[in-house]
Amino acid sequence: MSSSNNPSSRKEKSSGERPSKAGNNFRQTFQEISIKHASRRRITNKIVSIIAIVFVIGAIIPLASILFEVIKNGVAVLSVQFLTQPPGAIGSDAGGIGPAIQGTLITVGLASLIGAPIGVLSGVYLSEFATTSSVKGPKQRAISFFANTIRLFNDVLTGLPSIVIGIVGYVAIVLALNSFSVWAGAFALSIIMIPIVSRVSEETLKLVPNSLREAGYSLGISKTKITLFIVLKNAKDGVLTGVILAISRIAGETAPLIMTILGTSLFFTSLTGPVDALPLRIWRLASQPYESAHGFGWGAALVLILIILALSASIRLIARGKGIRVRTETI
Amino acid sequence: MPRLLDLGLDRIRNIVTDMAKLSEGSVFSALEAYESNNIAKKHIFELSEKLRTLQDEVTDLAVELIARYQPVATDLRFIKSCMEIAYGYSRFGRYSYDIVDVLETLTPLTDCDKNAVSEMAMTVRKMILLSVNALESRDKMAAQDLYQMDDTVDTLYRKYLRELVSNLTKDSSGKPRCYISNLLILRYLERIADHACYVGDSVYYIITGASSPRR
Amino acid sequence: MRLSSSSNEEVTRYSPQTSDNDKRVVVAPATTQTKIKLSIQNVNAWFGKKHAVKGVSLEVKENSVTAFIGPSGCGKTTLLRCINRMHEMTPNAKAEGRVILDGVDVYDKSSDPAMVKRRIGMVFQKPNPFPTMSIHDNVAAGLKLNGIRDKKLINEVVEQSLKGAALWDEVRNDLHMPGMGLSGGQQQRLCLARALAMQPEILLMDEPTSALDPIASSKIEDLVQQLKEHLTIIIVTHNMQQAARVSEQTAFMYLGELIEYNPTRDIFKNPQKELTEKYISGRFG
């Protein structure tokens, strides 16, 4: 009479049937296989971790041995006189590398002042403006063609031998001004710097989640302000890393400097005259046959490394101090 | 693929269908008992009790479905109407029991004039069948027909009421147990007719989402 | 809170009488004023070649809550983003049609897209506070970057907006802390406060609770009821029960078309279109 119980009993029946016999068998075989796999996976895991550690050590050894060698040989010559005096007579162990330190700071500083803004802005253009959607049709195609061309040139420029850039600086500025000059050196170095900064900035800015730009648009904020105060601010760390990377790279450049600032044993006089630089000085000292010159060379190398280290550390510290302390992982 | 909600709706539908059959049976047996003077009080009492339990079951299930699945639209209207229909059917059972109760208390009624009740019972039987079929066949026009039949039932009821009163005053030495039993049973039948109409209303609501135009 | 403070017609049509029997009248909800705030007329939107919104027209009343529902990819979010011209910020996106706000087409040549966005605020699916800014700066960003310098005024608006987003009591002592340090629900209310600081007339909410837990979601829903006293809200939601709870009007979209636009109570009790019924009762496909 009461068929009202049917649905529930029907439900039970159908749910009881579902895990079929074939399914049970498969579950069992699957479990057996996965147990076998698990032990193999543990062994593979161990082997791969060991290999990884070995390679990491392999990568660190040359780096550490260079550092060790530089410190071992360089520390001995470090002194106030060494850091501040101009080089003494060739072969003597008097004098120092004062002009080279000064020259490197001036040339690299000037190159950064030219290269970093251009590089960052070109990165901003490529990331934020070249893909704009408000223009459509042929104009947009022209813009994206232009952007791709810039990217291509960036890549080519990054791969260009630095001596070629030095020659360009020589032809464009040294010959034009008829004198080796700081300007020429800074120009050549900034050309090396720009593609690196531009590329890194573009990539970092692209990592800024679009939701932040949209949040900005939704508040009726202009694109310029969104780019400057929201996007760039958010990508600050990455952009700075790019700039530091580029500065480290140009601080160690030798070839373009031979063609542009020439190198001298005198202190800085004017932006239009020649100046010394650490890599140049290292190169000159190393090519001398005297033992004392080699010691000075090691010392100069150590100073160069320390300058670059101090630069990265201080820029990072400043960046962190100014912004909000908490660097959030979840953007 | 059926939704989880569908299993519950099927279950409610099955219970209500069962209740339709039970309540139809209980009214019919009560009327038969009256006509044949064969009082099957226990059977009808069991039916009435069964209907009441089933009604509770429908309400419980309906509340559970609403709480668990938040039904909307037709599903929600169906559940709401099922609660009302289940109540209607349980009333059918209750009135059947009341009818046999009257029969038992006022027995014997063999020599009473049963024409009035029989006449109304005919229409009420039709109404019950119509209301039960309306739910099964989702007939939204049934409500219309039910209300028309209810009008006849009401007219009959008023007519007999007046006749009984005038008969009583004319013939005070008559058979009071006949008058009283007729009156009460007519009253129960009239109530059953009303509930049959409500069932029709509920069916109309499931299908159209509006209350029946008669109300 | 939701029942007593809202003017959701259906739920609180009859106000409980406390003392005065003479005042036993049917409460006239705020929505009785039938001023049309926003009129969407034949809006079409594309992503490249994909026709995402197909000729949708509907009208939104002032101080009401309208919900857009429909399966994923039905164009409801795109339609929402057409209203404040956010859609055209996406590469390759195109929109056509008229969106009339107080009688003026936001797509008219004379209207400034940034101005449109200031009048029509937006809250996004994922909470997106500015990560480099403090709670205070997040709320103040829209004002500051739009040229407001008055510090006192900014502080006032920040407080008022945080109160409006029911966040003030939780953060009043931590205004200098980073916005990202808040919980997901608080972050979303921070974004709401940020939008409110611009004093918008319309608030667009794009699945504002889909990334939140039920408690945080229900807080946002309660807020919607309060906020509609002052502004007009349009909310896109995947959660049909949410649409049923918060909105007065519901628009059901399917494959870029507006299938049905009716009072919410009718959509959920007695939808006029079979497709709507199938979708809301989970019978799709």
Side-chain angles (χ1 to χ4, degrees), chain C residues 92-138:
Chain C
N92 291 321
K94 194 174 87 173
E96 269 174 16
R98 283 147 65 84
V99 176
I100 313 277
L101 171 62
D102 282 340
V104 180
D105 186 1
V106 303
Y107 281 96
D108 194 81
K109 284 213 172 75
S110 63
S111 45
D112 168 17
M115 198 59 218
V116 168
K117 292 186 186 80
R118 267 174 248 171
R119 295 180 65 189
I120 308 180
M122 192 164 195
V123 173
F124 298 84
Q125 183 172 0
K126 258 181 83 182
N128 55 354
F130 299 128
T132 52
M133 298 186 194
S134 65
I135 293 172
H136 175 278
D137 288 352
N138 258 289

Side-chain angles (χ1 to χ4, degrees), chain A residues 18-268:
Chain A
R18 215 161 284 149
S20 63
K21 223 181 165 192
N24 267 338
N25 282 342
F26 175 67
R27 180 185 290 167
Q28 208 174 354
T29 42
F30 181 66
Q31 276 170 357
E32 282 163 12
I33 290 172
S34 49
I35 287 168
K36 271 186 219 153
H37 263 262
S39 58
R40 219 163 66 196
R41 200 172 54 227
R42 269 192 293 274
I43 296 167
T44 323
N45 246 350
K46 272 222 175 93
I47 293 173
V48 172
S49 334
I50 290 169
I51 291 175
I53 291 170
V54 166
F55 277 106
V56 167
I57 293 170
I60 286 176
I61 285 175
L63 207 69
S65 67
I66 290 173
L67 263 179
F68 176 74
E69 200 73 4
V70 170
I71 294 169
K72 191 184 80 182
N73 295 316
V75 166
V77 298
L78 286 190
S79 67
V80 177
Q81 182 213 348
F82 176 71
L83 293 177
T84 53
Q85 294 299 308
I90 289 175
S92 75
D93 58 356
I97 55 164
I101 296 176
Q102 186 200 35
T104 284
L105 290 180
I106 292 172
T107 317
V108 170
L110 198 59
S112 305
L113 284 183
I114 302 170
I118 296 178
V120 171
L121 287 181
S122 106
V124 166
Y125 173 78
L126 290 177
S127 158
E128 303 298 308
F129 292 86
T131 52
T132 183
S133 64
S134 46
V135 265
K136 288 173 186 77
K139 198 174 168 190
Q140 191 177 15
R141 248 173 282 139
I143 287 179
S144 75
F145 176 75
F146 179 55
N148 283 332
T149 312
I150 294 177
R151 283 190 195 102
L152 180 69
F153 277 126
N154 269 349
D155 288 347
V156 173
L157 222 52
T158 317
L160 218 57
S162 52
I163 185 78
V164 178
I165 293 168
I167 292 169
V168 171
Y170 178 76
V171 172
I173 298 185
V174 175
L175 289 187
L177 292 178
N178 218 359
S179 153
F180 291 102
S181 73
V182 180
W183 279 121
F187 169 75
L189 292 183
S190 69
I191 287 181
I192 299 173
M193 187 173 187
I194 288 169
I196 303 173
V197 175
S198 165
R199 203 65 217 232
V200 174
S201 303
E202 183 190 354
E203 296 305 324
T204 323
L205 289 173
K206 275 186 177 160
L207 286 181
V208 173
N210 211 26
S211 66
L212 293 185
R213 294 184 188 89
E214 289 200 332
Y217 290 135
S218 79
L219 297 172
I221 303 170
S222 68
K223 181 154 191 171
T224 320
K225 283 184 176 171
I226 291 175
T227 306
L228 286 181
F229 296 108
I230 296 169
V231 180
L232 207 53
K233 202 174 161 188
N234 213 56
K236 188 183 56 193
D237 283 11
V239 172
L240 265 175
T241 310
V243 172
I244 293 169
L245 201 75
I247 290 177
S248 315
R249 161 88 195 274
I250 60 169
E253 281 296 342
T254 321
L257 296 181
I258 302 173
M259 315 291 298
T260 49
I261 63 172
L262 188 64
T264 159
S265 49
L266 302 172
F267 274 110
F268 169 76

Side-chain angles (χ1 to χ4, degrees), chain C residues 63-67 224-225 228 233-235 246-249 264:
Chain C
N63 293 356
S64 70
V65 181
T66 304
V224 166
Q225 292 306 316
K228 76 168 187 184
I233 294 173
I234 303 175
I235 181 169
V246 302
S247 70
E248 280 132 54
Q249 295 279 320
T264 303

